[in-house]
Amino acid sequence: MKEGPDIAYIATLIGDPARANMLTALMSGKALTVSELAQEAGVTIQTASAHLSKLDTAGLLRPRKQGRHKYFSLSNDDVAHVLEGLMGLAAGAGHLRKRTGPKDAALREARVCYNHLAGDMGTQMFDSLTAQGHVVLDNERPMLTASGAAFVADFDIDLDALRRARAPLCRECLDWSERRSHLAGSLGRAFLNRFEALSWARRDQNSRAVLFSREGAEAFRRLFPLKITL
Amino acid sequence: MKEGPDIAYIATLIGDPARANMLTALMSGKALTVSELAQEAGVTIQTASAHLSKLDTAGLLRPRKQGRHKYFSLSNDDVAHVLEGLMGLAAGAGHLRKRTGPKDAALREARVCYNHLAGDMGTQMFDSLTAQGHVVLDNERPMLTASGAAFVADFDIDLDALRRARAPLCRECLDWSERRSHLAGSLGRAFLNRFEALSWARRDQNSRAVLFSREGAEAFRRLFPLKITL
DNA sequence: TTAATGCTTCGGTTATGGTCGAACTATGAA
DNA sequence: TTCATAGTTCGACCATAACCGAAGCATTAA
């Protein structure tokens, strides 16, 4: 015993319900203020402040001061990755939160997973890309093919710029609700950005839900048809 | 708030020092008895029993009864993956355990990470495979090339059998001590098995350390030369 | 300046949960 | 059978840490 990094330290931090709620809220990718996070967690502001300070000194958060506001966001992809992993384990344990309200339905349909599209539509997009041969799975790892590169370029995504950045282009992300793969990485983020830029969808203010307009959803289905509809 | 799986439930479970020690011990990939895990965690047997029961009902462990012994192991790769991720965060937070004794030195040199080789020699193996063109990194994801397949076959590893199994062949694993990639997945496991079968190395009984013999280490270096020595 | 808002710090209360001793069950050995 | 070992369950104790009220600090608006 007493070998390796202090895993309990980090896990305890995530393990408190209030802090877990805050972290989950930050999975939206947005930067949130102390008051907003207090609201999310259902605690008073001073309690939230104490929690956030702990998460910060552990390096899980990236704070930014702006005037009299203090914004927090997850410090990097690794943190988001671990959180998603924990969600997977919790979902696997059949340990979902109480009931599934109307909000939950929207979350299952489409939501952001840190910075890319997850949920039903996320997996649909992924499946469609695979079916069309734009993405191939190599040992459960997604790779963009030549036709995929053309497809992406057609959609006005600057692939070269993405490649130049050091972040991984394609990443697989296991969805906790669907238990199936969807596209993460900088390409996944780029797709979501385009959807928003085209006004196909917008992010819900109060949750991680991604709300597609009727036209947006239709365009999405045309672009990412399911195998059956081919 | 109140969306998604109960991440705090799992994190709290991992967050207790005693349980974290047990889980860390199980990262060795071995199945351990209640008494052994109690020893690892530094608690009495009845306390360990209670902890293990909780971890079990959460689905993190796989129990097996054998005679009057009860063996526990991690229930799957996902659990190991999350744990390794947490180690990464903890190490990133500069929050390493107290001091680094002589035992720790051995751990940095070579240790098992769930079921494959990690530490200095793990990253060396990975770097060498990459330098020789046996493995290519595609967006930070390792892939076995044709020459790599031949290399593996030469080493008497039954690649087809591995491919038939559903588990991913190559997986990247970020080392917490080196902060660099090494080879996980079923191929990583197969390599470690071969090292043991050839008596190049054996696992330390009381830690996650992998102890190479002098001849084994030489053979290892011949097989996996560093770029500089080429 | 004063007032209002956003956040932090301090002190005291409370409860959750980790801990062990002791008693109990189950498997195997003598 | 009796004894020994492995593990579980129960009950009581105790410490850690989450929580909020109140007061304090910092920034912006009036």
Side-chain angles (χ1 to χ4, degrees), chain A residues 33 35 46 49 68 70:
Chain A
T33 65
S35 338
Q46 59 273 33
S49 178
R68 52 180 166 179
K70 190 167 179 183

PDB file of all heavy atoms in Angstrom, chain A residues 33 35 46 49 68 70, chain C residues 4-9:
ATOM      1  N   THR A  33     -20.583  31.104 -12.807  1.00  0.00           N
ATOM      2  CA  THR A  33     -20.185  31.880 -11.635  1.00  0.00           C
ATOM      3  C   THR A  33     -20.457  31.107 -10.354  1.00  0.00           C
ATOM      4  O   THR A  33     -21.133  30.079 -10.368  1.00  0.00           O
ATOM      5  CB  THR A  33     -20.967  33.193 -11.558  1.00  0.00           C
ATOM      6  OG1 THR A  33     -22.339  32.881 -11.341  1.00  0.00           O
ATOM      7  CG2 THR A  33     -20.829  33.976 -12.848  1.00  0.00           C
ATOM      8  N   SER A  35     -22.353  31.956  -7.871  1.00  0.00           N
ATOM      9  CA  SER A  35     -23.786  31.935  -7.537  1.00  0.00           C
ATOM     10  C   SER A  35     -24.527  30.913  -8.382  1.00  0.00           C
ATOM     11  O   SER A  35     -25.376  30.176  -7.880  1.00  0.00           O
ATOM     12  CB  SER A  35     -24.411  33.308  -7.770  1.00  0.00           C
ATOM     13  OG  SER A  35     -23.450  34.306  -7.739  1.00  0.00           O
ATOM     14  N   GLN A  46     -21.974  30.793   0.271  1.00  0.00           N
ATOM     15  CA  GLN A  46     -20.736  30.614   1.031  1.00  0.00           C
ATOM     16  C   GLN A  46     -20.279  29.160   1.038  1.00  0.00           C
ATOM     17  O   GLN A  46     -19.087  28.862   0.986  1.00  0.00           O
ATOM     18  CB  GLN A  46     -20.860  31.163   2.446  1.00  0.00           C
ATOM     19  CG  GLN A  46     -21.939  30.567   3.311  1.00  0.00           C
ATOM     20  CD  GLN A  46     -23.273  31.238   3.164  1.00  0.00           C
ATOM     21  OE1 GLN A  46     -23.601  31.692   2.082  1.00  0.00           O
ATOM     22  NE2 GLN A  46     -24.043  31.290   4.240  1.00  0.00           N
ATOM     23  N   SER A  49     -18.782  28.482  -2.305  1.00  0.00           N
ATOM     24  CA  SER A  49     -17.459  29.099  -2.391  1.00  0.00           C
ATOM     25  C   SER A  49     -16.386  28.181  -1.807  1.00  0.00           C
ATOM     26  O   SER A  49     -15.323  27.996  -2.396  1.00  0.00           O
ATOM     27  CB  SER A  49     -17.470  30.435  -1.663  1.00  0.00           C
ATOM     28  OG  SER A  49     -16.203  31.024  -1.691  1.00  0.00           O
ATOM     29  N   ARG A  68     -16.591  41.828 -10.842  1.00  0.00           N
ATOM     30  CA  ARG A  68     -16.888  41.259  -9.526  1.00  0.00           C
ATOM     31  C   ARG A  68     -17.430  39.845  -9.651  1.00  0.00           C
ATOM     32  O   ARG A  68     -17.937  39.284  -8.689  1.00  0.00           O
ATOM     33  CB  ARG A  68     -17.875  42.154  -8.779  1.00  0.00           C
ATOM     34  CG  ARG A  68     -19.110  42.496  -9.572  1.00  0.00           C
ATOM     35  CD  ARG A  68     -20.022  43.386  -8.742  1.00  0.00           C
ATOM     36  NE  ARG A  68     -21.056  44.013  -9.573  1.00  0.00           N
ATOM     37  CZ  ARG A  68     -21.980  44.802  -9.107  1.00  0.00           C
ATOM     38  NH1 ARG A  68     -22.027  45.080  -7.822  1.00  0.00           N
ATOM     39  NH2 ARG A  68     -22.883  45.336  -9.902  1.00  0.00           N
ATOM     40  N   LYS A  70     -16.745  35.766 -10.635  1.00  0.00           N
ATOM     41  CA  LYS A  70     -15.667  34.783 -10.740  1.00  0.00           C
ATOM     42  C   LYS A  70     -16.216  33.586 -11.488  1.00  0.00           C
ATOM     43  O   LYS A  70     -17.169  32.945 -11.028  1.00  0.00           O
ATOM     44  CB  LYS A  70     -15.190  34.374  -9.349  1.00  0.00           C
ATOM     45  CG  LYS A  70     -13.921  33.559  -9.376  1.00  0.00           C
ATOM     46  CD  LYS A  70     -13.327  33.459  -7.985  1.00  0.00           C
ATOM     47  CE  LYS A  70     -12.073  32.624  -7.950  1.00  0.00           C
ATOM     48  NZ  LYS A  70     -11.574  32.496  -6.566  1.00  0.00           N
TER      49      LYS A  70
ATOM     50  P    DA C   4     -29.214  49.901  -1.071  1.00  0.00           P
ATOM     51  OP1  DA C   4     -30.643  50.098  -1.411  1.00  0.00           O
ATOM     52  OP2  DA C   4     -28.819  49.423   0.266  1.00  0.00           O
ATOM     53  O5'  DA C   4     -28.567  48.944  -2.173  1.00  0.00           O
ATOM     54  C5'  DA C   4     -28.522  49.380  -3.526  1.00  0.00           C
ATOM     55  C4'  DA C   4     -27.779  48.335  -4.356  1.00  0.00           C
ATOM     56  O4'  DA C   4     -26.361  48.505  -4.165  1.00  0.00           O
ATOM     57  C3'  DA C   4     -28.108  46.891  -3.969  1.00  0.00           C
ATOM     58  O3'  DA C   4     -28.310  46.126  -5.150  1.00  0.00           O
ATOM     59  C2'  DA C   4     -26.884  46.430  -3.217  1.00  0.00           C
ATOM     60  C1'  DA C   4     -25.783  47.240  -3.907  1.00  0.00           C
ATOM     61  N9   DA C   4     -24.595  47.447  -3.087  1.00  0.00           N
ATOM     62  C8   DA C   4     -24.556  47.780  -1.761  1.00  0.00           C
ATOM     63  N7   DA C   4     -23.338  47.903  -1.281  1.00  0.00           N
ATOM     64  C5   DA C   4     -22.531  47.642  -2.379  1.00  0.00           C
ATOM     65  C6   DA C   4     -21.136  47.616  -2.536  1.00  0.00           C
ATOM     66  N6   DA C   4     -20.288  47.872  -1.553  1.00  0.00           N
ATOM     67  N1   DA C   4     -20.657  47.318  -3.768  1.00  0.00           N
ATOM     68  C2   DA C   4     -21.517  47.064  -4.752  1.00  0.00           C
ATOM     69  N3   DA C   4     -22.847  47.057  -4.729  1.00  0.00           N
ATOM     70  C4   DA C   4     -23.289  47.362  -3.501  1.00  0.00           C
ATOM     71  P    DT C   5     -28.902  44.670  -5.040  1.00  0.00           P
ATOM     72  OP1  DT C   5     -30.029  44.600  -5.985  1.00  0.00           O
ATOM     73  OP2  DT C   5     -29.071  44.330  -3.613  1.00  0.00           O
ATOM     74  O5'  DT C   5     -27.718  43.802  -5.633  1.00  0.00           O
ATOM     75  C5'  DT C   5     -27.111  44.194  -6.860  1.00  0.00           C
ATOM     76  C4'  DT C   5     -25.752  43.548  -6.962  1.00  0.00           C
ATOM     77  O4'  DT C   5     -24.863  44.105  -5.974  1.00  0.00           O
ATOM     78  C3'  DT C   5     -25.758  42.032  -6.721  1.00  0.00           C
ATOM     79  O3'  DT C   5     -25.247  41.396  -7.875  1.00  0.00           O
ATOM     80  C2'  DT C   5     -24.860  41.840  -5.506  1.00  0.00           C
ATOM     81  C1'  DT C   5     -23.993  43.095  -5.554  1.00  0.00           C
ATOM     82  N1   DT C   5     -23.424  43.503  -4.245  1.00  0.00           N
ATOM     83  C2   DT C   5     -22.074  43.705  -4.162  1.00  0.00           C
ATOM     84  O2   DT C   5     -21.321  43.564  -5.108  1.00  0.00           O
ATOM     85  N3   DT C   5     -21.639  44.093  -2.915  1.00  0.00           N
ATOM     86  C4   DT C   5     -22.401  44.284  -1.782  1.00  0.00           C
ATOM     87  O4   DT C   5     -21.889  44.627  -0.737  1.00  0.00           O
ATOM     88  C5   DT C   5     -23.812  44.059  -1.946  1.00  0.00           C
ATOM     89  C7   DT C   5     -24.727  44.237  -0.782  1.00  0.00           C
ATOM     90  C6   DT C   5     -24.246  43.680  -3.157  1.00  0.00           C
ATOM     91  P    DG C   6     -25.224  39.817  -7.971  1.00  0.00           P
ATOM     92  OP1  DG C   6     -25.449  39.444  -9.387  1.00  0.00           O
ATOM     93  OP2  DG C   6     -26.105  39.307  -6.898  1.00  0.00           O
ATOM     94  O5'  DG C   6     -23.737  39.477  -7.597  1.00  0.00           O
ATOM     95  C5'  DG C   6     -22.700  39.843  -8.485  1.00  0.00           C
ATOM     96  C4'  DG C   6     -21.389  39.293  -7.977  1.00  0.00           C
ATOM     97  O4'  DG C   6     -21.022  40.005  -6.772  1.00  0.00           O
ATOM     98  C3'  DG C   6     -21.458  37.803  -7.588  1.00  0.00           C
ATOM     99  O3'  DG C   6     -20.336  37.131  -8.135  1.00  0.00           O
ATOM    100  C2'  DG C   6     -21.426  37.819  -6.078  1.00  0.00           C
ATOM    101  C1'  DG C   6     -20.644  39.092  -5.772  1.00  0.00           C
ATOM    102  N9   DG C   6     -20.959  39.680  -4.480  1.00  0.00           N
ATOM    103  C8   DG C   6     -22.201  39.862  -3.924  1.00  0.00           C
ATOM    104  N7   DG C   6     -22.169  40.427  -2.750  1.00  0.00           N
ATOM    105  C5   DG C   6     -20.821  40.625  -2.506  1.00  0.00           C
ATOM    106  C6   DG C   6     -20.168  41.196  -1.394  1.00  0.00           C
ATOM    107  O6   DG C   6     -20.670  41.655  -0.366  1.00  0.00           O
ATOM    108  N1   DG C   6     -18.777  41.216  -1.566  1.00  0.00           N
ATOM    109  C2   DG C   6     -18.126  40.739  -2.669  1.00  0.00           C
ATOM    110  N2   DG C   6     -16.798  40.833  -2.653  1.00  0.00           N
ATOM    111  N3   DG C   6     -18.725  40.196  -3.711  1.00  0.00           N
ATOM    112  C4   DG C   6     -20.060  40.181  -3.570  1.00  0.00           C
ATOM    113  P    DC C   7     -20.195  35.560  -7.969  1.00  0.00           P
ATOM    114  OP1  DC C   7     -19.464  35.056  -9.137  1.00  0.00           O
ATOM    115  OP2  DC C   7     -21.524  35.006  -7.621  1.00  0.00           O
ATOM    116  O5'  DC C   7     -19.243  35.449  -6.706  1.00  0.00           O
ATOM    117  C5'  DC C   7     -17.942  36.026  -6.794  1.00  0.00           C
ATOM    118  C4'  DC C   7     -17.316  36.114  -5.428  1.00  0.00           C
ATOM    119  O4'  DC C   7     -18.153  36.868  -4.535  1.00  0.00           O
ATOM    120  C3'  DC C   7     -17.070  34.778  -4.712  1.00  0.00           C
ATOM    121  O3'  DC C   7     -15.678  34.517  -4.726  1.00  0.00           O
ATOM    122  C2'  DC C   7     -17.613  34.992  -3.309  1.00  0.00           C
ATOM    123  C1'  DC C   7     -17.769  36.514  -3.230  1.00  0.00           C
ATOM    124  N1   DC C   7     -18.796  36.972  -2.278  1.00  0.00           N
ATOM    125  C2   DC C   7     -18.397  37.596  -1.092  1.00  0.00           C
ATOM    126  O2   DC C   7     -17.198  37.755  -0.881  1.00  0.00           O
ATOM    127  N3   DC C   7     -19.348  38.019  -0.225  1.00  0.00           N
ATOM    128  C4   DC C   7     -20.635  37.831  -0.488  1.00  0.00           C
ATOM    129  N4   DC C   7     -21.532  38.268   0.412  1.00  0.00           N
ATOM    130  C5   DC C   7     -21.070  37.188  -1.683  1.00  0.00           C
ATOM    131  C6   DC C   7     -20.125  36.772  -2.548  1.00  0.00           C
ATOM    132  P    DT C   8     -15.108  33.228  -3.948  1.00  0.00           P
ATOM    133  OP1  DT C   8     -13.848  32.856  -4.615  1.00  0.00           O
ATOM    134  OP2  DT C   8     -16.198  32.253  -3.815  1.00  0.00           O
ATOM    135  O5'  DT C   8     -14.738  33.781  -2.504  1.00  0.00           O
ATOM    136  C5'  DT C   8     -13.824  34.860  -2.391  1.00  0.00           C
ATOM    137  C4'  DT C   8     -13.517  35.123  -0.925  1.00  0.00           C
ATOM    138  O4'  DT C   8     -14.700  35.638  -0.258  1.00  0.00           O
ATOM    139  C3'  DT C   8     -13.084  33.889  -0.118  1.00  0.00           C
ATOM    140  O3'  DT C   8     -11.920  34.219   0.610  1.00  0.00           O
ATOM    141  C2'  DT C   8     -14.269  33.602   0.788  1.00  0.00           C
ATOM    142  C1'  DT C   8     -14.868  34.990   0.980  1.00  0.00           C
ATOM    143  N1   DT C   8     -16.315  35.019   1.276  1.00  0.00           N
ATOM    144  C2   DT C   8     -16.741  35.608   2.433  1.00  0.00           C
ATOM    145  O2   DT C   8     -15.983  36.108   3.239  1.00  0.00           O
ATOM    146  N3   DT C   8     -18.104  35.592   2.611  1.00  0.00           N
ATOM    147  C4   DT C   8     -19.054  35.061   1.763  1.00  0.00           C
ATOM    148  O4   DT C   8     -20.249  35.110   2.024  1.00  0.00           O
ATOM    149  C5   DT C   8     -18.539  34.447   0.565  1.00  0.00           C
ATOM    150  C7   DT C   8     -19.473  33.841  -0.421  1.00  0.00           C
ATOM    151  C6   DT C   8     -17.209  34.453   0.377  1.00  0.00           C
ATOM    152  P    DT C   9     -11.113  33.086   1.428  1.00  0.00           P
ATOM    153  OP1  DT C   9      -9.681  33.366   1.225  1.00  0.00           O
ATOM    154  OP2  DT C   9     -11.673  31.772   1.085  1.00  0.00           O
ATOM    155  O5'  DT C   9     -11.470  33.396   2.950  1.00  0.00           O
ATOM    156  C5'  DT C   9     -11.503  34.745   3.387  1.00  0.00           C
ATOM    157  C4'  DT C   9     -11.952  34.822   4.839  1.00  0.00           C
ATOM    158  O4'  DT C   9     -13.399  34.892   4.908  1.00  0.00           O
ATOM    159  C3'  DT C   9     -11.543  33.627   5.714  1.00  0.00           C
ATOM    160  O3'  DT C   9     -11.100  34.125   6.973  1.00  0.00           O
ATOM    161  C2'  DT C   9     -12.833  32.839   5.863  1.00  0.00           C
ATOM    162  C1'  DT C   9     -13.872  33.952   5.848  1.00  0.00           C
ATOM    163  N1   DT C   9     -15.222  33.551   5.395  1.00  0.00           N
ATOM    164  C2   DT C   9     -16.306  33.995   6.110  1.00  0.00           C
ATOM    165  O2   DT C   9     -16.215  34.698   7.092  1.00  0.00           O
ATOM    166  N3   DT C   9     -17.523  33.584   5.612  1.00  0.00           N
ATOM    167  C4   DT C   9     -17.739  32.791   4.498  1.00  0.00           C
ATOM    168  O4   DT C   9     -18.864  32.494   4.148  1.00  0.00           O
ATOM    169  C5   DT C   9     -16.551  32.353   3.799  1.00  0.00           C
ATOM    170  C7   DT C   9     -16.678  31.482   2.593  1.00  0.00           C
ATOM    171  C6   DT C   9     -15.362  32.762   4.282  1.00  0.00           C
TER     172       DT C   9
END
